[in-house]
Amino acid sequence: ISACSKARQRDPLAEDAIGECIDLVDLYLKELDDASTEKRYALPDDDHFVDATERVTAALRAMVTVLEKARMDLEGGLQREDRMAIKEQL
């Protein structure tokens, strides 16, 4: 978001990835909440979400890749370390 703001540009793919991240985290938190309630009250798992942590983590990593590429494109393709080294040399 800050890269878009600095460049005064929008990146629809990055915006979609941010929304997707929010949706993924919401799904995961709902699963954790349901699992906690089921455990507390000894209820059967009525909406089984197999490998929730691994699947959500993998999906989030994919979204992070999209966001990193968008940031790199907007900031001219330099990593933070490279940008800092340039500033130090100036």
Side-chain angles (χ1 to χ4, degrees):
I1 293 173
S2 65
C4 286
S5 183
K6 286 179 186 175
R8 295 178 190 230
Q9 294 182 14
R10 293 184 60 223
D11 187 327
L13 290 176
E15 291 171 7
D16 289 344
I18 291 169
E20 188 67 22
C21 287
I22 292 169
D23 290 343
L24 289 165
V25 170
D26 186 52
L27 281 171
Y28 184 67
L29 291 176
K30 286 180 181 175
E31 173 59 22
L32 291 179
D33 185 51
D34 286 349
S36 176
T37 301
E38 291 159 358
K39 183 178 178 181
R40 181 179 305 131
Y41 298 108
L43 299 172
D45 190 354
D46 63 342
D47 188 13
H48 195 62
F49 188 171
V50 179
D51 299 326
T53 301
E54 293 81 12
R55 292 170 64 194
V56 170
T57 300
L60 285 171
R61 284 191 178 127
M63 294 301 103
V64 166
T65 301
V66 171
L67 291 170
E68 286 176 342
K69 182 186 180 318
R71 182 187 52 81
M72 293 283 285
D73 291 345
L74 289 168
E75 292 179 345
L78 294 174
Q79 297 284 345
R80 285 184 296 248
E81 177 65 30
D82 295 332
R83 290 195 320 266
M84 187 63 197
I86 290 167
K87 288 180 186 286
E88 289 171 338
Q89 290 177 5
L90 296 176

